[in-house]
Amino acid sequence: REMGRKIGFGFLAFHMGAMAVIFLLIIEKEYAILCVLMALLWGAAAVFFLRMAIGEVNPALVRWGWLAAAFLCGNLAAAGIAAGFGEEGGGAQELVLGVVLFLLAYFCLKKARGGSAKLLAKQRSYTPGDPLPVSACPGLFLAPGEVGHLCENVRVGKVKNLVTGSRATHSGASVRITRGISVHRGKGYNTTIRQNVLDADGGTLYVTSKRVVASSVKYSFDIKLNDITAIQPYIDGFMIQISGKNYIVLSDSPNYIMAIINAARGAQ
């Protein structure tokens, strides 16, 4: 998956770089400034995707990079579609190219909406022994001397044993009439099927120098760090155990959150 990501970003970097070269090659006297400006924009987009491919992009710039790429592809898409409809004979090649660029612009726009947060979550890390980060905790009332270390949008929930269906059973002989139709002798029973299902709700998780607080509509808790019994890591979250009660916290950066909780607990 990582290799595919690098190949994809490398392809986009090559495409953007090729567009920059094309604009430099078609410079005309009347449109020299515009061509140079477009070449610089495409070149900057090529550098952005090249750095994305090798993993050296500042997370704060990811959103703007995707937006710039969406803008450039959208402009070319509009030009290609207009040329396709405007030329005699249909202009099929320009029309197809315009549609492809439009889809690429839509893809870049979607990445701009969520890509920076995911990349930021992947790049965050905490090394035990380092000073704990200081974070504002909007909406949470801190006690005197209490310091906020983390404020994160998460999903908080519990695992519940719920009825998910039923299965009909019977005792006695069965006679098959035709496909899908049988006659049963004896008593029939309905067996209830129960499964463990995670019921989660969006909310906010706070970690301070004294507490771990989860605030959501369905599931909330406010516990002292020393009252945490255990923390069980998962791929996309972790389970926190408090006096026999288990809560599931889902996040894009569970390892970072667990590291902050463990460090804050050890600092007491």
Side-chain angles (χ1 to χ4, degrees):
R1 184 177 179 179
E2 183 67 18
M3 180 60 66
R5 186 186 70 85
K6 290 183 178 181
I7 292 174
F9 284 133
F11 172 77
L12 288 174
F14 173 79
H15 171 73
M16 303 294 178
M19 292 302 302
V21 173
I22 289 174
F23 272 102
L24 288 176
L25 293 177
I26 63 172
I27 290 180
E28 295 183 6
K29 188 174 182 180
E30 296 84 356
Y31 305 104
I33 296 178
L34 179 60
C35 290
V36 171
L37 179 61
M38 293 299 294
L40 290 176
L41 288 174
W42 283 104
V47 173
F48 166 74
F49 283 113
L50 183 62
R51 292 179 68 86
M52 285 284 285
I54 61 179
E56 295 183 355
V57 176
N58 186 339
L61 300 178
V62 171
R63 183 170 182 267
W64 295 107
W66 282 113
L67 283 175
F71 171 76
L72 292 171
C73 292
N75 276 343
L76 278 186
I81 293 174
F85 282 111
E87 288 189 4
E88 296 182 0
Q93 293 182 351
E94 289 81 1
L95 187 61
V96 171
L97 180 61
V99 172
V100 171
L101 286 171
F102 175 79
L103 294 175
L104 183 59
Y106 176 73
F107 170 77
C108 293
L109 192 61
K110 286 190 66 176
K111 284 293 184 180
R113 296 181 61 183
S116 59
K118 292 182 179 179
L119 183 63
L120 181 62
K122 289 181 179 179
Q123 292 189 356
R124 283 193 305 175
S125 62
Y126 174 79
T127 303
D130 288 350
L132 280 163
V134 177
S135 173
C137 296
L140 180 67
F141 295 103
L142 300 176
E146 188 175 15
V147 179
H149 297 306
L150 182 140
C151 175
E152 190 90 1
N153 291 326
V154 298
R155 292 183 62 81
V156 186
K158 283 185 176 183
V159 175
K160 295 183 176 182
N161 190 262
L162 303 176
V163 176
T164 58
S166 62
R167 182 175 61 249
T169 58
H170 65 277
S171 60
S174 299
V175 179
R176 182 178 179 183
I177 304 301
T178 184
R179 183 177 181 180
I181 301 176
S182 300
V183 176
H184 307 294
R185 297 186 61 186
K187 295 182 178 180
Y189 305 92
N190 282 329
T191 303
T192 300
I193 301 175
R194 304 183 69 92
Q195 291 181 327
N196 290 331
V197 178
L198 175 62
D199 183 27
D201 183 43
T204 306
L205 184 75
Y206 305 94
V207 180
T208 74
S209 57
K210 298 181 179 181
R211 299 176 292 163
V212 176
V213 181
S215 174
S216 72
V217 176
K218 285 187 176 181
Y219 303 105
S220 298
F221 58 81
D222 186 339
I223 56 166
K224 296 180 180 179
L225 291 170
N226 290 332
D227 291 338
I228 298 175
T229 306
I231 296 180
Q232 178 68 40
Y234 296 136
I235 296 176
D236 55 351
F238 58 91
M239 179 193 71
I240 184 167
Q241 189 177 51
I242 312 153
S243 302
K245 296 181 180 180
N246 298 330
Y247 292 91
I248 306 296
V249 178
L250 302 178
S251 170
D252 291 330
S253 51
N255 293 330
Y256 177 75
I257 296 176
M258 288 189 293
I260 296 297
I261 293 175
N262 290 328
R265 194 169 185 270
Q268 285 195 321

